[in-house]
Amino acid sequence: MTEAAPALFVAIEASAVGAMIWQSRWLYMVANVGHIVALLCFAGAIAVMDTRLAGGLSATAPGPLLRKARQLAVAAFVGLIVTGLVLFTAEASHVVLNRVFQIKVGLIVLGLLNVLWVERTIMPKVAGLPPLVPMPAGARQGALASLTIWLSVAICGRAIAYF
C-alpha cells in the first residue's frame, strides 16, 4: 500500500474487497487472464471495425459487419471494465499514482470520445451502404484515430508494471 496516494484509493485497496482479492488464491490471477482475453476480443472487434471504416474489407456491406463487431467490442469493453476494476482494487493506492496508468485513463476517455464522434457522425452514413461503395468523409480519420488510441491504451496497460 502506498500511503502517499489519496485516502480514497488507500481505502479502496484496504477494503474488504481489496483484501479478498489479495487473499484469494485465484481471483487476481483469473481477473488478470480475463483482462487479457477481453483485450484480445476488444482489439479484434476494433480492428475489424476500423479496417472497414478505413476502406478495407470493401466487398462486405459495412452496416451488418460494423453492427456485429460493435456488439463484440461492447461486450469485451464491459469485460475489460469489470476485470480492470478487480485488478485496480487490489493495487489502487499504487496504481493511481502511476503516470502510465494516468495516461492510460486519459487515452480511454479520448477513445470513448472518438467512438461517440464516429457513432454520431459516420455510422448513420454507412449503415445502409452496399458493398464496394467508398466510405464517407471522416471515416478513415476516425478509424485511424481509433486504432492509434486503443493500441496506445493496450501498450500503456502492459507498461504499468514497469513504471
Side-chain angles (χ1 to χ4, degrees):
M1 191 169 310
T2 305
E3 299 300 329
L8 171 66
F9 300 103
V10 172
I12 288 171
E13 186 175 324
S15 70
V17 174
M20 178 183 68
I21 294 166
W22 274 117
Q23 292 171 2
S24 169
R25 176 173 264 193
W26 299 100
L27 192 53
Y28 189 87
M29 184 209 46
V30 168
N32 199 6
V33 171
H35 202 66
I36 292 168
V37 170
L39 175 62
L40 290 170
C41 293
F42 183 75
I46 293 297
V48 168
M49 287 190 294
D50 290 342
T51 298
R52 185 62 187 102
L53 286 172
L57 307 171
S58 61
T60 306
L65 177 67
L66 294 172
R67 199 168 20 262
K68 287 292 187 189
R70 183 186 312 115
Q71 290 170 349
L72 177 58
V74 168
F77 190 76
V78 168
L80 285 167
I81 296 297
V82 170
T83 57
L85 285 173
V86 172
L87 298 173
F88 179 79
T89 299
E91 300 181 282
S93 70
H94 169 72
V95 174
V96 76
L97 298 175
N98 186 304
R99 186 70 181 135
V100 177
F101 175 77
Q102 295 166 358
I103 292 168
K104 177 183 175 179
V105 170
L107 286 168
I108 291 169
V109 170
L110 185 60
L112 292 173
L113 289 172
N114 186 62
V115 167
L116 183 63
W117 177 77
V118 168
E119 285 293 324
R120 294 200 180 207
T121 62
I122 304 300
M123 293 306 218
K125 297 174 186 176
V126 303
L129 288 181
L132 303 173
V133 173
M135 291 287 105
R140 183 179 189 86
Q141 292 79 4
L144 294 176
S146 172
L147 284 171
T148 302
I149 293 165
W150 294 118
L151 178 60
S152 298
V153 169
I155 290 168
C156 285
R158 297 302 95 205
I160 288 170
Y162 302 100
F163 293 92

